[in-house]
């Protein structure tokens, strides 16, 4: 079992920055991939960034603006140059390594509770 707890959401203006954190506990050694997803009202949950031991992946919508990192058992998402369309509930997720796509939400076994990010124009 793995427990994930996000923090760091909030409200910012366009162009601002936020850093999200996701504290992982439990059987974290078995989780080869961690990721950030987001879901806006009425929209599907989208994968925006993922990290393994050797690489990172980003959705095109956040490439160059968001950075995913991991230190010890905490996952981070640094978000810069925020836009109103980045407003959503952001969730971290974890799973074992597999051949499945990095942004396939259904393949992730563990999820945090989510944190709201609101970007105003």
């Amino acid at each position: 079992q793995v427990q994930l707890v996000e923090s760091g959401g909030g409200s910012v203006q366009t162009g601002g920055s936020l850093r999200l954190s996701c504290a992982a506990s439990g059987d974290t050694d078995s989780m080869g991939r961690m990721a950030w997803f987001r879901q806006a009202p009425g929209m599907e949950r989208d994968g925006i960034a993922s990290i393994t031991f050797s690489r990172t992946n980003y959705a095109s919508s956040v490439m160059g603006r968001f950075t995913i990192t991991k230190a010890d058992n905490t996952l981070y998402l640094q978000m810069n140059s925020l836009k109103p369309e980045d407003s959503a509930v952001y969730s971290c997720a974890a799973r074992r390594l597999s051949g499945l796509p990095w942004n396939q939400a259904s393949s992730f076994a563990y999820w945090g509770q989510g944190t709201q990010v609101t970007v105003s124009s």
Side-chain angles (χ1 to χ4, degrees):
Q1 290 291 322
V2 174
Q3 296 77 42
L4 303 173
V5 179
E6 300 102 337
S7 61
S11 297
V12 295
Q13 293 188 326
T14 297
S17 298
L18 282 174
R19 188 175 82 155
L20 304 182
S21 300
C22 172
S25 60
D27 187 19
T28 57
D29 288 345
S30 65
M31 298 294 109
R33 183 178 293 280
M34 296 189 73
W36 288 99
F37 288 78
R38 68 185 181 188
Q39 187 170 24
M43 304 293 285
E44 293 187 355
R45 179 180 281 174
D46 289 329
I48 56 171
S50 179
I51 189 167
T52 66
F53 301 115
S54 58
R55 68 178 298 171
T56 57
N57 298 89
Y58 294 94
S60 58
S61 59
V62 305
M63 186 87 68
R65 299 188 298 122
F66 291 11
T67 303
I68 187 171
T69 56
K70 185 174 179 291
D72 296 325
N73 287 327
T74 302
L75 183 71
Y76 299 98
L77 186 69
Q78 178 65 43
M79 305 186 294
N80 298 328
S81 302
L82 283 162
K83 305 174 183 180
E85 51 263 45
D86 293 319
S87 297
V89 174
Y90 284 69
S91 301
C92 63
R95 74 175 197 209
R96 298 176 185 274
L97 285 175
S98 74
L100 296 173
W102 66 267
N103 56 355
Q104 183 175 320
S106 62
S107 70
F108 284 80
Y110 301 101
W111 291 85
Q113 81 284 0
T115 186
Q116 177 70 47
V117 171
T118 302
V119 185
S120 58
S121 57

